[in-house]
Amino acid sequence: MITKLIVRGLVVGLLAGLLAAVFAYTVGEPRIDQAIALEEAAAAASPAEPHDDTGTAAHSHSHDGEEALVSRDGQRFGLFLALGLYGLALGGLFSLVYAAVRGRAGPRSEPVLAVSLAAAAFTSVVLIPFVKYPANPPAVGDPETINQRTVLYLVAVVIGILAVAAAVAAYRYASASEPWVRWLSAGATFLVPVVASWILLPEISEVPRGFPADLLWDFRVASIGTQVVFWAGVGALFAFAARRRGPV
């Protein structure tokens, strides 16, 4: 029954979200602390609002010694809360998509279908947009461009979803052909819109000159790693539940 699938998806999503939160807290939070410390040190060294090489005013985590609206401890608690809610929402959506494609597309084995669907979701919703617009730490980014960055990121997400769906459709359309023809059709159908989007969508580069490259790299690895943990958890836990409880 669909209700059981939705409940399964909610539980799996919540658990996967908490696993991702543990990873983010362990690996990502130290990098955020370092980025905030750099930003505060730069603000303390220059009392007047600094400007970058383009004349744009830089914005810091805190100004004129004001305390942040939410303490770092509160932000850490919010990390677990946010990823838990994120997991609940995506777990429910995942179960609905799983119910829609089961028996119609993808592997016939339910555990394999769960893992494949989680991999497709990670690729379309996370990996494709991340390659074009990777995550930046708190000290990087102009608040005045947040709307533009959000819209462009959502456009990349939509392109990723459509590319994955088109690749699946191409694979099914070539089902009567040789395996290499099916995979080539699916791969080409996937890569053409993805590569075109990477080329055509505008660049957004707001990393200030002199920002530590190793810190930026570590933060981005932690960011994508959090999503890897989440979607791997969703796929593995959903597959385990499907194998243990059987079809619903």
Side-chain angles (χ1 to χ4, degrees):
M1 293 177 62
I2 188 65
T3 302
K4 291 183 178 179
L5 269 180
I6 292 175
V7 171
R8 179 189 298 180
L10 292 174
V11 173
V12 164
L14 177 61
L15 293 176
L18 293 177
L19 285 174
V22 171
F23 178 89
Y25 179 82
T26 304
V27 179
E29 282 297 304
R31 277 69 189 178
I32 293 178
D33 288 337
Q34 293 174 37
I36 292 174
L38 284 173
E39 189 179 23
E40 291 176 343
S46 179
E49 189 174 43
H51 289 70
D52 58 22
D53 293 338
T54 63
T56 302
H59 298 267
S60 63
H61 181 72
S62 60
H63 297 275
D64 301 325
E66 295 180 0
E67 292 294 330
L69 292 177
V70 181
S71 68
R72 288 295 292 137
D73 288 338
Q75 291 172 17
R76 293 184 181 100
F77 172 77
L79 171 68
F80 283 85
L81 178 61
L83 282 174
L85 295 175
Y86 173 83
L88 281 172
L90 289 186
L93 289 174
F94 182 87
S95 63
L96 291 176
V97 176
Y98 179 90
V101 303
R102 185 177 58 173
R104 300 179 181 86
R108 295 186 179 275
S109 167
E110 293 205 6
V112 176
L113 175 61
V115 173
S116 301
L117 190 58
F122 169 78
T123 301
S124 60
V125 177
V126 178
L127 185 60
I128 292 173
F130 188 90
V131 171
K132 180 65 178 181
Y133 301 117
N136 288 325
V140 176
D142 183 354
E144 295 181 0
T145 65
I146 188 169
N147 290 334
Q148 178 192 14
R149 286 183 277 132
T150 300
V151 170
L152 289 174
Y153 191 88
L154 290 176
V155 169
V157 169
V158 171
I159 291 172
I161 293 173
L162 293 177
V164 170
V168 172
Y171 185 89
R172 295 187 65 193
Y173 183 78
S175 59
S177 305
E178 296 292 327
W180 69 270
V181 175
R182 296 198 298 270
W183 285 109
L184 182 62
S185 301
T189 305
F190 171 79
L191 287 175
V192 168
V194 169
V195 174
S197 71
W198 287 341
I199 294 173
L200 297 177
L201 287 176
E203 297 285 342
I204 296 180
S205 180
E206 297 181 338
V207 179
R209 183 174 299 177
F211 190 88
D214 56 344
L215 176 57
L216 182 64
W217 172 259
D218 289 344
F219 178 85
R220 289 176 172 175
V221 169
S223 178
I224 192 68
T226 300
Q227 293 294 332
V228 170
V229 170
F230 174 76
W231 286 107
V234 168
L237 292 172
F238 209 96
F240 175 78
R243 181 182 294 275
R244 183 178 179 84
R245 300 182 182 181
V248 279

